[in-house]
Amino acid sequence: MKKIRVLSLLTLCLAVMFLFAGCGVKHGSPEGVVKSLVKYSEKGKEKKVLNCYGTDKNADGEIKKEAENMIAYYNAMKSKGITLLSCDVIQDYQTYSLVYISYEVKLKKDKAYPKIETYLVKKDKKKYYVMPAKEITSEMSQAAASAYKTFMTTDAYKEYQKSHDAFILKNPSFEEEVAMKLQQ
């Protein structure tokens, strides 16, 4: 009887561990933190978005505004979720990496808006964090632009461009409508 209780307790503990293992921001890789940023922005989870930047609810005004703007963007689209297509490092630098993420934003009526974004990600004490705009120097920006230019010749980018063009052809005013909602 005692063995059964111990095994039941152990099983319960393992189940709880597995349940919560997938929760939270993934700081173990540059791609993991970027995926988390997009996922939690779409879900409107400001605290987790700020965690992707390596800060919390007491973040300075600029970083907090950056997080709020990302969440507002998905709200303006009336997002119903996202489907990840690909995410990878475009270029590694000494102290940071340039990461792209390609995904579709699920919309009403079985529509999906193709997106591709890039982020600079830094490593701090074995954890990765998305770099807020205020930390990105002009040299970093120039290096990223050069790497992105090369990235635009890859299959991942070409597939995104083809999907995006097809979406805009069918929904020509979509981006303008989202922009207008964001200005309100």
Side-chain angles (χ1 to χ4, degrees):
M1 188 72 159
K2 189 174 183 180
K3 271 187 179 180
I4 293 174
R5 284 186 184 173
V6 171
L7 285 174
S8 295
L9 184 60
L10 184 59
T11 304
L12 179 63
C13 289
L14 285 172
V16 169
M17 283 178 26
F18 284 119
L19 178 67
F20 290 107
C23 298
V25 175
K26 308 283 191 230
H27 289 288
S29 69
E31 301 92 337
V33 76
V34 167
K35 290 175 188 177
S36 293
L37 178 70
V38 171
K39 172 184 170 182
Y40 292 120
S41 295
E42 189 275 331
K43 289 184 176 197
K45 305 286 187 183
E46 184 178 322
K47 185 176 177 183
K48 291 190 180 199
V49 171
L50 291 170
N51 188 294
C52 292
Y53 287 107
T55 189
D56 59 18
K57 63 183 178 187
N58 299 319
D60 76 20
E62 286 181 51
I63 297 173
K64 193 163 176 59
K65 188 68 176 165
E66 214 169 311
E68 290 169 353
N69 287 343
M70 290 182 73
I71 291 168
Y73 179 69
Y74 291 102
N75 287 338
M77 284 193 281
K78 297 183 180 167
S79 173
K80 306 289 184 211
I82 58 171
T83 302
L84 176 68
L85 301 175
S86 59
C87 183
D88 207 355
V89 173
I90 295 174
Q91 182 74 45
D92 276 318
Y93 301 94
Q94 287 182 334
T95 58
Y96 63 96
S97 300
L98 176 63
V99 178
Y100 86 92
I101 185 166
S102 175
Y103 61 99
E104 292 178 331
V105 179
K106 297 175 194 171
L107 307 170
K108 63 182 179 182
K109 298 180 184 176
D110 296 327
K111 291 182 186 178
Y113 178 57
K115 293 281 296 163
I116 199 163
E117 297 171 347
T118 56
Y119 296 93
L120 291 179
V121 177
K122 64 182 176 183
K123 188 174 185 178
D124 184 28
K125 299 177 187 171
K126 297 185 180 183
K127 286 188 173 185
Y128 292 90
Y129 299 96
V130 175
M131 295 178 71
K134 72 178 195 167
E135 291 182 15
I136 299 171
T137 66
S138 59
E139 291 83 16
M140 290 174 165
S141 184
Q142 289 171 354
S146 177
Y148 191 78
K149 185 177 179 182
T150 302
F151 171 69
M152 289 174 66
T153 64
T154 66
D155 289 340
Y157 186 84
K158 289 175 184 175
E159 288 172 26
Y160 153 75
Q161 191 65 57
K162 183 179 174 182
S163 297
H164 183 265
D165 291 349
F167 179 88
I168 294 302
L169 189 61
K170 292 177 184 174
N171 307 280
S173 63
F174 177 77
E175 291 174 339
E176 291 80 19
E177 290 170 10
V178 171
M180 286 181 4
K181 287 177 187 175
L182 287 169
Q183 290 176 352
Q184 295 175 350

